[in-house]
């Protein structure tokens, strides 16, 4: 079993920035494509960003492209997302997830392991 633990969430004003971190317990972290998803109350889980196993390719949801940056450090079993120019619409619980297959990188069903989530609240 792989444990993923998110940190870095909190309150921020619109236009501000936050950095979320996800620490993985697995010793085979580099095998996983890593993603971030978010879910607001009453909403479906939404794709935020993902990075391939070696960090060569990154993917972003349309609503965050140009504002968020995902990165990973396989030596530290960590994936980060830098969130800039935050909007009220970014308010959600953010989840880190690990994908050990070859399914679509932007859908939750492709991810086997999930963190517990961290709350991000953006105020106007």
């Amino acid at each position: 079993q792989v444990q993923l633990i998110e940190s870095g969430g909190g309150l921020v004003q619109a236009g501000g920035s936050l950095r979320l971190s996800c620490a993985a317990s697995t010793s085979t972290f580099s095998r996983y494509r890593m993603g971030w998803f978010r879910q607001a109350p009453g909403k479906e889980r939404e794709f935020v960003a993902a990075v391939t196993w070696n960090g060569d390719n990154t993917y972003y949801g349309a609503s965050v492209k140009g504002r968020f940056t995902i990165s990973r450090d396989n030596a530290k079993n960590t994936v980060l997302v830098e969130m800039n120019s935050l909007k009220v619409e970014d308010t959600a619980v953010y989840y880190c997830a690990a994908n050990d297959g070859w399914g679509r990188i932007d859908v939750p069903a492709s991810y086997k392991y999930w963190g517990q989530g961290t709350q991000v609240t953006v105020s106007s």
Side-chain angles (χ1 to χ4, degrees):
Q1 189 173 32
V2 175
Q3 290 185 323
L4 303 173
I5 301 176
E6 304 97 334
S7 62
L11 297 170
V12 64
Q13 290 188 341
S17 299
L18 283 175
R19 177 183 292 175
L20 303 183
S21 178
C22 175
S25 64
T26 180
S27 61
T28 57
F29 179 74
S30 63
R31 297 181 183 179
Y32 295 92
R33 296 181 293 170
M34 300 298 299
W36 286 92
F37 293 80
R38 66 188 184 187
Q39 189 163 22
K43 302 290 186 179
E44 297 291 327
R45 191 163 296 186
E46 177 187 16
F47 173 70
V48 175
V51 59
T52 51
W53 67 270
N54 60 357
D56 284 349
N57 293 293
T58 57
Y59 306 86
Y60 297 93
S63 63
V64 307
K65 187 176 182 180
R67 299 188 297 119
F68 291 13
T69 302
I70 189 170
S71 62
R72 68 189 298 162
D73 186 339
N74 288 343
K76 297 181 178 179
N77 290 359
T78 301
V79 60
L80 305 173
V81 60
E82 185 78 29
M83 308 188 298
N84 299 311
S85 301
L86 283 163
K87 305 175 181 179
V88 172
E89 304 91 89
D90 296 319
T91 296
V93 177
Y94 283 71
Y95 297 91
C96 175
N99 182 344
D100 66 346
W102 294 100
R104 283 183 56 176
I105 203 164
D106 61 341
V107 298
S110 297
Y111 291 78
K112 184 175 182 179
Y113 303 105
W114 293 82
Q116 80 286 351
T118 185
Q119 177 71 46
V120 172
T121 302
V122 184
S123 62
S124 62

